[in-house]
């Protein structure tokens, strides 16, 4: 019984203290609310002092100075003022009646003729407070409450922020829009003294692209709408936009009506409009140069009377927007959708065709239809990137030097496609390069909507090359999808040496590097697969013989055969440490998978000659290599023959074979292996006598015989 009574007393005490704390909290909150002068919903502030009056107004989410001029307010300074007002309360103050009881008047506190008057509009309406003298300790300032009944000591920080002028609340930025909010940008250039004499219009719009239809992988970019429909270089455009949005004014004038006519902003040289795509837009009007400083121009925002100065080069920089911000990549496409390429050079043409696409079809050319085999339509879904270039071939076609279907080298096809896809317009000479030679300047974007006169003057009546791309799926263009893209390349006329090549795509003409002509080759040898042969995995090399054919009589330089009882000759050579065995094994590895570095256009001939580096000396076949191969251990051996020139340079040596007929440059490992097996055996023919300077004060032979070196 005693335990129950004790428990009851504890619970009663807890309940009693809880009620006391609850009522105390309610009283404190009510007192706090009652003692605050202004609510959190402040929407307008007006400050009046001996120097003048200005007003701040909240519009949607932003604060603006609305008097004596209209301008965006500095959010940091406004927030500081709002903080002081929201924490301004009657705590610690005293009533006017109490002051008068002690013989004091409002004048004693500086409140009869206050130094400043503050009008504040909040949820409760518009109320006014007066700011008087500082307190004796100089740490506070006297404030008269809105109803005039209380004198409140406000902290000195309140006086500091109230004492600021309108220019202290003025934002330094001209535009009140964030870069990411801008959806379009329009530049108008004017001539003469009337704005209706518009000379140029440039429009840029932000673009949005979802990769593979996935909203999370959205890419944003920019595109010109006028004066030409073309892609803008997004990174450079964004940087230029950020620079514009963060532009600060220099001097600021709002009380000089005469300056409106003198500044030229009524008939501006240029206007720049930023729009967020909805209802918010701002237009900057750029006027004359200031008389005091040629690096500054007068400017104003459209619909705003304030005039200010900005850097003078803003007009020049945006005047050049179409050339400086335009994307130089003008021939972009999706390689995965590419199905065929036709290159024309005069009457010659070369057709390249991709075979790992769906469906079947034919390709129409000038002289008729050419069967393509597995062809057109949609590209195979999920085709790996490495397979994009692994199944291209050159079919036989009219006016082509291809007589039978020939495989295309994947690496060459990849470089070809990448070169076309990344083709860029370039200024000549490039002003960004320090070593650019002086001379006539050729613009990267030579002509848009080119006229017949321009087309003829740039040489496109008879272009040096024309390349036509066919796609298995539509190619997205600025105007409408299409399945064909055609590029023409013209060389400069003879009377303009040093002028660049020009490319024409659509109605525009671009200056391009002349190396594009090398890429757009109609020679089948340029694209031909570099694989000469590749021996089966179980094939064995039985013998290698190298014969020097340069002299009156043939001379055997190397005659190596697989030793009896050795199943894998090349593997057996690994165990040997002498240089000749290492070179012989390296030669065997190269011959097992023989690949060309590149091909010469001419076929193989026993009488072949080559003028290396236009030296005037014709190089002919120097060595004949004979290789005996067994496809399997008990199979009948077969014989293959290769012909080689001598080593013509550190990285250059030619080879040829009669079947299939071709002449090609060999790769470095084969050059090195042949050199070790041929040069050391008979160097006298290839090494000239080298004059040796006579040492000072000593007799010495004038030359050293090659055999002695």
């Amino acid at each position: 019984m005693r335990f129950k009574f004790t428990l009851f007393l504890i619970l009663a005490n807890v309940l009693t203290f809880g009620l006391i704390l609850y009522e105390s909290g309610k009283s404190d909150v009510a007192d706090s609310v009652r003692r605050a002068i202004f609510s959190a919903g402040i929407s307008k502030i007006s400050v009046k002092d001996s120097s003048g009056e200005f007003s701040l107004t909240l519009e949607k989410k932003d604060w603006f100075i609305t008097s004596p001029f209209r301008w965006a307010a500095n959010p940091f300074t406004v927030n500081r003022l709002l903080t002081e007002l929201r924490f301004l309360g009657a705590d610690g103050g005293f009533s006017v009646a109490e002051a008068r009881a002690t013989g004091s008047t409002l004048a004693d506190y500086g409140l009869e003729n206050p130094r400043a008057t503050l009008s504040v509009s909040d949820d409760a309406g518009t109320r006014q407070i007066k700011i008087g003298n500082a307190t004796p300790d100089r740490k506070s300032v006297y404030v008269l409450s809105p109803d005039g009944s209380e004198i409140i000591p406000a902290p000195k920080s309140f006086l500091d922020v109230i004492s600021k002028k309108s220019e202290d609340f003025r934002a330094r930025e001209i535009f009140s829009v964030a870069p990411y909010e801008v959806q379009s940008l329009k530049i108008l250039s004017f001539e003469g003294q009337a704005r209706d004499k518009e000379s140029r219009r440039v429009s840029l719009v932000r673009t949005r692209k979802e990769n593979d239809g996935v909203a999370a992988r959205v890419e944003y970019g920019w595109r010109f709408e006028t004066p030409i429909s073309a892609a803008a270089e997004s990174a450079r455009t964004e940087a230029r936009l950020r620079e514009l949005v963060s532009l600060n004014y220099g001097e600021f004038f709002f009380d000089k009506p005469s300056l409106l006519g003198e500044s030229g902003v009524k008939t501006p040289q240029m206007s720049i409009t930023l729009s967020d795509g909805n209802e918010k837009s701002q237009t900057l009007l750029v006027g004359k140069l200031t008389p005091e400083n040629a690096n500054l121009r007068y400017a104003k925002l459209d619909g705003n009377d304030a005039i200010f100065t900005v850097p003078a080069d803003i007009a020049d920089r945006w005047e050049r927007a179409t050339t400086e911000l335009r994307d130089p990549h003008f021939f972009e496409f999706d390689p995965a959708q590419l199905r065929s390429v036709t290159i024309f050079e005069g009457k010659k043409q070369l057709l390249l065709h991709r075979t790992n696409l769906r469906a079947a079809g034919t390709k129409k050319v000038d002289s008729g239809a050419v069967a393509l085999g597995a062809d057109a339509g949609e590209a195979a879904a999920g085709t790996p990137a490495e397979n994009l270039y692994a199944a291209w071939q050159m079919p036989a076609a009219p006016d082509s030097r291809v007589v039978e279907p020939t495989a295309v080298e994947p690496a060459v096809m990849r470089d070809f496609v990448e070169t076309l896809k990344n083709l860029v317009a370039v200024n000549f000479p490039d002003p960004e390069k320090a070593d650019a030679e002086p001379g006539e300047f050729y613009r990267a974007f030579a002509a848009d909507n080119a006229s017949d006169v321009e087309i003829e003057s740039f040489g496109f009546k008879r272009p040096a090359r024309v390349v036509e791309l066919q796609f298995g799926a539509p190619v997205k263009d600025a105007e409408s999808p299409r399945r064909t893209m055609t590029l023409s390349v013209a060389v400069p006329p003879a009377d303009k040496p040093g002028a660049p090549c020009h490319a024409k795509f659509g109605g525009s003409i671009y200056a391009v590097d002349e190396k594009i002509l090398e890429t757009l080759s109609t020679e089948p040898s340029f694209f031909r697969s570099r694989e000469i042969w590749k021996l089966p995995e179980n094939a064995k090399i039985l013998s290698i013989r190298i014969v020097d054919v340069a002299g009156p009589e043939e001379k055997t330089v190397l005659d190596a055969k697989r030793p009896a009882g050795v199943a894998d000759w090349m593997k057996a050579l690994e165990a040997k440490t002498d240089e000749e065995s290492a070179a012989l094994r390296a030669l065997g590895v190269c011959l097992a998978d023989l690949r060309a570095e590149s091909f010469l256009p001419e076929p193989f001939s026993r009488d072949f000659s080559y003028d290396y580096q236009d030296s005037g000396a014709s190089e002919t076949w120097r060595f004949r290599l004979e290789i005996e191969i067994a496809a399997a251990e008990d199979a009948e051996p077969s014989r293959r023959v290769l012909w080689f020139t001598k080593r013509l340079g550190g990285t250059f040596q030619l080879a040829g074979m009669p079947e299939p007929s071709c002449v090609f440059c060999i790769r470095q490992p084969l050059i090195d292996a042949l050199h070790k097996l041929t040069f050391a055996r008979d160097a006298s023919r290839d090494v000239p006598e080298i004059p040796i300077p006579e040492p000072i004060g000593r007799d010495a032979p004038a030359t050293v015989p090659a055999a002695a070196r």
Side-chain angles (χ1 to χ4, degrees):
M1 186 66 182
R2 181 178 300 175
F3 173 75
K4 291 182 179 179
F5 182 71
T6 303
L7 181 61
F8 171 76
L9 289 177
I10 292 173
L11 292 174
N13 282 324
V14 170
L15 180 61
T16 301
F17 281 111
L19 290 172
I20 293 173
L21 289 173
Y22 175 74
E23 291 298 328
S24 175
K26 286 177 59 179
S27 176
D28 290 344
V29 170
D31 188 60
S32 174
V33 171
R34 181 177 56 81
R35 301 295 289 177
I37 296 178
F38 302 111
S39 70
I42 297 175
S43 59
K44 186 175 182 179
I45 304 169
S46 295
V47 180
K48 182 179 180 180
D49 58 16
S50 58
S51 63
E53 182 178 2
F54 68 93
S55 299
L56 300 168
T57 305
L58 178 64
E59 298 179 2
K60 294 183 179 180
K61 297 183 296 182
D62 301 315
W63 282 88
F64 289 86
I65 302 173
T66 53
S67 174
F69 54 86
R70 179 175 178 80
W71 197 260
N74 186 323
F76 301 103
T77 310
V78 172
N79 285 334
R80 183 181 171 190
L81 174 58
L82 291 174
T83 300
E84 294 293 342
L85 289 174
R86 287 165 183 164
F87 282 94
L88 185 64
D91 297 331
F94 50 91
S95 67
V96 174
E98 290 175 338
R100 287 174 176 166
T102 61
S104 300
T105 65
L106 291 179
D108 295 330
Y109 300 99
L111 297 172
E112 188 71 41
N113 296 303
R115 67 168 66 184
T117 302
L118 192 68
S119 296
V120 180
S121 298
D122 60 4
D123 300 334
T126 301
R127 290 170 292 169
Q128 187 181 86
I129 59 175
K130 298 178 180 180
I131 294 89
N133 298 333
T135 58
D137 60 4
R138 317 299 296 177
K139 294 182 179 180
S140 302
V141 62
Y142 293 115
V143 175
L144 185 63
S145 64
D147 59 4
S149 63
E150 291 190 76
I151 298 174
I152 306 162
K156 187 175 182 298
S157 57
F158 177 76
L159 177 61
D160 292 340
V161 71
I162 288 298
S163 300
K164 292 183 179 297
K165 307 302 179 185
S166 60
E167 52 266 30
D168 298 320
F169 284 90
R170 191 171 61 217
R172 292 291 303 169
E173 297 82 8
I174 295 172
F175 292 100
S176 58
V177 59
Y180 66 86
E181 295 177 318
V182 179
Q183 299 299 313
S184 66
L185 188 149
K186 182 186 297 182
I187 305 106
L188 299 180
S189 300
F190 304 98
E191 60 182 7
Q193 297 299 314
R195 290 190 60 182
D196 58 350
K197 292 185 178 180
E198 181 183 323
S199 63
R200 191 173 185 187
R201 176 192 296 265
V202 177
S203 297
L204 281 156
V205 294
R206 192 185 293 272
T207 58
R208 184 179 188 273
K209 176 184 177 183
E210 292 184 6
N211 286 336
D212 303 323
V214 181
R217 297 175 60 190
V218 174
E219 288 184 2
Y220 291 96
W222 286 91
R223 188 170 188 85
F224 284 97
E225 285 192 333
T226 55
I228 182 69
S229 179
E233 194 171 4
S234 297
R236 185 172 292 187
T237 303
E238 286 288 352
R240 185 75 64 87
L241 177 62
R242 288 193 297 270
E243 182 182 286
L244 177 64
V245 169
S246 61
L247 182 66
N248 293 344
Y249 56 80
E251 293 186 82
F252 196 93
F253 312 96
F254 65 89
D255 54 356
K256 291 186 177 181
S258 61
L259 194 58
L260 185 62
E262 299 171 0
S263 62
V265 294
K266 291 183 67 175
T267 55
Q269 175 182 331
M270 173 180 285
S271 70
I272 304 173
T273 302
L274 304 182
S275 175
D276 66 355
N278 297 313
E279 58 183 34
K280 185 177 181 180
S281 65
Q282 289 182 287
T283 300
L284 178 68
L285 306 177
V286 183
K288 298 178 181 178
L289 294 171
T290 62
E292 299 85 6
N293 190 339
N295 295 320
L296 296 175
R297 285 186 179 275
Y298 291 113
K300 71 183 291 289
L301 289 175
D302 197 17
N304 192 310
D305 294 335
I307 298 174
F308 44 87
T309 60
V310 295
D313 64 351
I314 183 174
D316 297 332
R317 287 170 60 78
W318 285 102
E319 184 75 32
R320 302 189 300 267
T322 50
T323 55
E324 292 185 351
L325 301 183
R326 188 167 169 179
D327 192 343
H329 298 83
F330 62 90
F331 200 65
E332 294 183 300
F333 55 88
D334 182 4
Q337 301 297 335
L338 186 60
R339 55 175 278 205
S340 70
V341 177
T342 308
I343 306 171
F344 301 90
E345 182 182 3
K347 293 183 178 181
K348 295 189 298 183
Q349 74 174 52
L350 181 66
L351 177 61
L352 307 171
H353 164 63
R354 183 177 168 195
T355 60
N356 61 346
L357 295 177
R358 298 173 182 169
T362 59
K363 169 70 174 66
K364 184 75 174 178
V365 295
D366 293 344
S367 301
V370 179
L372 297 180
D375 189 51
E378 299 293 327
T383 302
E386 60 270 17
N387 291 338
L388 290 179
Y389 311 106
W392 283 82
Q393 66 174 216
M394 294 178 284
D399 299 320
S400 173
R401 295 171 61 183
V402 180
V403 296
E404 61 180 358
T406 305
V408 173
E409 175 64 23
V412 175
M413 192 65 203
R414 181 195 62 225
D415 294 344
F416 172 82
V417 171
E418 290 297 315
T419 299
L420 276 183
K421 186 171 71 76
N422 296 310
L423 187 61
V424 295
V426 185
N427 292 318
F428 286 88
D430 191 340
E432 296 182 1
K433 293 183 178 179
D435 59 351
E437 296 181 2
E440 186 175 356
F441 178 76
Y442 296 91
R443 294 184 298 118
F445 306 101
D448 291 315
N449 301 317
S451 64
D452 291 341
V453 174
E454 289 175 317
I455 290 174
E456 184 171 5
S457 66
F458 282 108
F460 288 102
K461 291 295 183 181
R462 293 184 178 180
R465 302 283 195 282
V466 176
V467 58
E468 182 182 276
L469 309 184
Q470 292 284 340
F471 296 86
V475 181
K476 291 185 178 179
D477 189 73
E479 300 176 357
S480 61
R482 60 183 181 181
R483 300 174 68 84
T484 303
M485 293 174 68
T486 302
L487 178 77
S488 302
V489 180
V491 297
D495 60 348
K496 288 189 177 180
C501 290
H502 285 86
K504 179 179 175 292
F505 175 56
S508 298
I509 297 175
Y510 311 86
V512 296
D513 195 301
E514 62 181 5
K515 291 182 180 179
I516 188 62
L517 294 174
E518 300 175 7
T519 300
L520 299 178
S521 174
T522 55
E523 291 292 343
S525 58
F526 180 82
F527 291 95
R528 180 176 176 175
S529 172
R530 292 338 189 222
E531 183 177 294
I532 305 300
W533 69 58
K534 186 172 184 179
L535 300 183
E537 185 176 352
N538 295 326
K540 305 297 181 183
I541 297 177
L542 304 180
S543 67
I544 301 174
R545 183 169 180 256
I546 301 176
V547 179
D548 188 340
V549 299
E553 296 181 0
E554 293 186 353
K555 177 183 176 182
T556 299
V557 177
L558 174 72
D559 191 1
K561 297 180 180 180
R562 183 178 69 170
V566 175
D568 192 333
W569 183 22
M570 295 297 110
K571 188 171 183 180
L573 289 172
E574 289 185 26
K576 298 187 176 182
T577 57
D578 60 290
E579 291 187 5
E580 181 169 316
S581 296
L584 187 59
R585 183 183 180 279
L587 178 60
V589 171
C590 293
L591 294 176
D593 185 8
L594 184 60
R595 295 183 62 81
E597 185 68 30
S598 60
F599 287 92
L600 271 64
E602 56 261 41
F604 172 81
S605 170
R606 179 64 182 85
D607 301 325
F608 169 82
S609 64
Y610 184 76
D611 186 2
Y612 179 61
Q613 294 184 339
D614 299 323
S615 62
S618 295
E619 301 293 342
T620 59
W621 298 127
R622 174 64 183 273
F623 301 104
R624 184 179 70 247
L625 184 146
E626 302 166 0
I627 176 174
E628 195 175 35
I629 304 165
E633 188 62 36
D634 298 329
E636 186 71 21
S638 61
R639 180 171 173 270
R640 302 187 185 187
V641 178
L642 290 169
W643 297 76
F644 294 91
T645 64
K646 71 177 184 181
R647 187 173 189 170
L648 302 177
T651 60
F652 189 77
Q653 188 172 0
L654 293 175
M657 57 188 298
E659 186 61 36
S661 179
C662 60
V663 178
F664 56 94
C665 302
I666 62 176
R667 298 194 168 188
Q668 193 65 44
L670 182 54
I671 294 175
D672 295 338
L674 284 172
H675 181 76
K676 291 177 181 178
L677 294 170
T678 59
F679 184 79
R681 283 175 162 75
D682 187 6
S684 60
R685 295 181 183 175
D686 292 331
V687 182
E689 299 293 329
I690 303 175
I692 303 297
E694 183 176 332
I696 299 176
R698 295 179 62 186
D699 294 333
T703 59
V704 177
R709 291 192 291 275

